[in-house]
Every structure is written in structure tokens, then in C-alpha cells.
């Protein structure tokens, strides 16, 4: 006999090798909110965003989920390079973004070369 609260939820294997719920699977599993991105963002930058989101969400102010996410997004948008360099994850983000910039510049330079 199964618990009335348990559910069978189908998952799928993503191209990165991680198992995920299909988009409707989250709702079927009882999730009230799903936070996802519509485009690729640097991994460590998303860690900073989610860390800030959970800090706000668990704070004594108890903002709603959408409010906490908006505040976290504003924090990430407005953080200065100096403040970023003070954080351990921030230093990693700077390195990650510098690597992306160098990679994009090298691809652009290669694309500009005509045979």
C-alpha cells in the first residue's frame, strides 16, 4: 500500500547527463513555483543568484517567492566589481566571465579572418 502523499513522477535524462522533470512534471509533483532560465547564463553567476534568493527567502522579512527572486535579480544586476571580488564565488565569477570574453573575442577574430 502506498502513502496517499506519494506520487509517481516521470523524469527524463538531459543532454548533460542529469535527470530532470519535464516542465509539467514539476507542477504534477506539487511544486508551486519553478525557477528556470530561458537562456544560458554562466554557472557561477546562477549560483550567486540562487544563494542570494535563498538568503532572502529564509530571512526574517519572509518575502514571497517572486519578491525574493526579484530582489535577488536586482542584487546581481547592481553588484559592483569591487563587491564581487570580495566574495569567494564572486572571484570565480570574474574568472568565468573573463574566460567567456576571451573565448568570444577569439571566435570573433577567427570569424573575421577571410581565406
Amino acid at each position: 500500500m502506498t502513502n496517499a502523499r506519494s506520487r509517481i513522477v516521470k523524469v527524463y535524462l538531459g543532454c548533460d547527463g542529469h535527470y530532470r522533470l519535464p516542465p509539467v512534471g514539476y507542477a504534477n509533483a506539487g511544486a508551486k513555483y519553478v525557477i528556470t532560465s530561458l537562456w544560458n547564463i554562466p554557472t557561477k553567476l546562477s549560483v550567486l543568484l540562487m544563494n542570494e534568493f535563498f538568503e532572502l527567502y529564509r530571512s526574517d522579512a519572509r518575502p514571497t517567492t517572486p519578491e525574493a527572486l526579484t530582489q535577488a535579480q536586482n542584487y546581481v544586476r547592481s553588484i559592483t566589481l569591487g563587491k564581487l571580488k570580495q566574495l569567494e564565488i564572486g572571484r570565480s565569477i570574474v574568472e568565468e566571465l573573463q574566460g567567456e570574453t576571451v573565448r568570444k573575442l577569439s571566435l570573433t577574430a577567427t570569424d573575421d579572418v577571410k581565406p
Side-chain angles (χ1 to χ4, degrees):
M1 181 178 268
T2 61
N3 182 331
R5 294 174 59 95
S6 66
R7 300 177 187 190
I8 297 174
V9 179
K10 294 181 180 180
V11 296
Y12 68 94
L13 184 62
C15 61
D16 60 358
H18 291 94
Y19 288 97
R20 292 191 168 75
L21 292 170
V24 295
Y26 293 103
N28 290 339
K32 187 173 178 181
Y33 297 101
V34 176
I35 299 172
T36 185
S37 176
L38 298 176
W39 55 88
N40 289 330
I41 59 172
T43 303
K44 293 174 183 169
L45 191 58
S46 64
V47 169
L48 177 67
L49 173 70
M50 295 312 295
N51 282 347
E52 184 66 16
F53 165 75
F54 282 113
E55 287 296 319
L56 290 164
Y57 186 72
R58 292 187 306 222
S59 71
D60 291 337
R62 299 295 299 166
T64 65
T65 301
E67 289 170 343
L69 181 59
T70 299
Q71 290 174 28
Q73 289 170 324
N74 289 337
Y75 170 79
V76 170
R77 285 184 190 118
S78 64
I79 193 168
T80 64
L81 183 58
K83 175 68 175 168
L84 206 53
K85 288 181 176 180
Q86 292 174 6
L87 305 170
E88 183 178 340
I89 187 70
R91 291 187 293 275
S92 297
I93 290 169
V94 171
E95 290 173 12
E96 185 177 38
L97 293 176
Q98 286 173 337
E100 274 295 306
T101 302
V102 169
R103 187 184 67 74
K104 285 180 182 177
L105 288 174
S106 66
L107 288 175
T108 304
T110 304
D111 292 343
D112 289 342
V113 175
K114 304 228 191 287

